[in-house]
Amino acid sequence: MNMDFNMYMNDIVSQARSEIREAGYTELTTPEAVDEYLNKEGTSLVMINSVCGCAGGIARPAAKHALNYDKLPDQLLTVFAGQDKEATEHVREKATDFLPSSPSFALFKDGKIVDMIERHEIEGHETMSVITNLQAWFEEHGKEI
């Protein structure tokens, strides 16, 4: 059996992108799009997506299921580490107090970083633990829906 690695990876990336978009997140693929959305007033949750196992098994499910809550940020956004490199780097430039990691979540308010859930807080943890952390942000910084 001969499998084309690039075709295989494209399928994985496509599925990972689709999962987060279907959950309601807006995909940002350029630095300009990052600026356009993060410069808006209000709160923004940015999921820094990736193809690793903890992204697919923990982070993306948490990103989706955390939305079953009474309060939410104004915007749900995502960039894809390793794929949309310039957009991801631009988000990371806005969060210089945190080391780059993926998957991760960044909470912004009025374009300024508030907090991050980094990879070490996702990998090896239960999905529910990540959901609880996201919903704590929503409770403090979100708006009633």
Side-chain angles (χ1 to χ4, degrees):
M1 180 156 111
N2 187 8
M3 182 179 283
D4 182 311
F5 179 75
N6 288 328
M7 188 172 11
Y8 172 74
M9 286 307 297
N10 287 340
D11 286 346
I12 290 175
V13 169
S14 178
Q15 178 64 29
R17 286 183 188 276
S18 177
E19 283 178 32
I20 201 72
R21 278 194 316 264
E22 289 172 8
Y25 288 72
T26 299
E27 199 168 25
L28 308 178
T29 59
T30 66
E32 295 79 17
V34 170
D35 282 339
E36 176 187 343
Y37 281 87
L38 288 185
N39 287 339
K40 293 179 182 177
E41 283 188 25
T43 54
S44 302
L45 176 65
V46 180
M47 191 236 177
I48 300 173
N49 202 354
S50 73
V51 296
C52 73
C54 63
I58 302 168
R60 286 193 300 275
K64 176 182 178 180
H65 294 292
L67 304 181
N68 296 313
Y69 198 69
D70 295 335
K71 294 182 179 181
L72 293 175
D74 297 303
Q75 301 184 101
L76 301 170
L77 309 170
T78 185
V79 294
F80 206 117
Q83 301 299 311
D84 304 318
K85 295 176 184 176
E86 292 173 349
T88 303
E89 182 59 30
H90 203 56
V91 169
R92 289 175 173 162
E93 288 169 358
K94 296 177 180 296
T96 55
D97 289 343
F98 299 91
L99 293 173
S101 68
S102 59
S104 59
F105 295 91
L107 182 68
F108 289 87
K109 185 168 186 166
D110 299 330
K112 307 283 186 221
I113 187 74
V114 173
D115 204 357
M116 281 195 80
I117 297 172
E118 299 173 88
R119 180 186 176 115
H120 70 86
E121 298 169 285
I122 298 170
E123 185 176 33
H125 293 266
E126 295 293 324
T127 303
M128 196 62 219
S129 151
V130 179
I131 291 170
T132 300
N133 290 337
L134 289 169
Q135 289 178 341
W137 283 354
F138 300 168
E139 182 62 32
E140 184 175 351
H141 301 283
K143 291 184 180 170
E144 294 271 342
I145 53 168

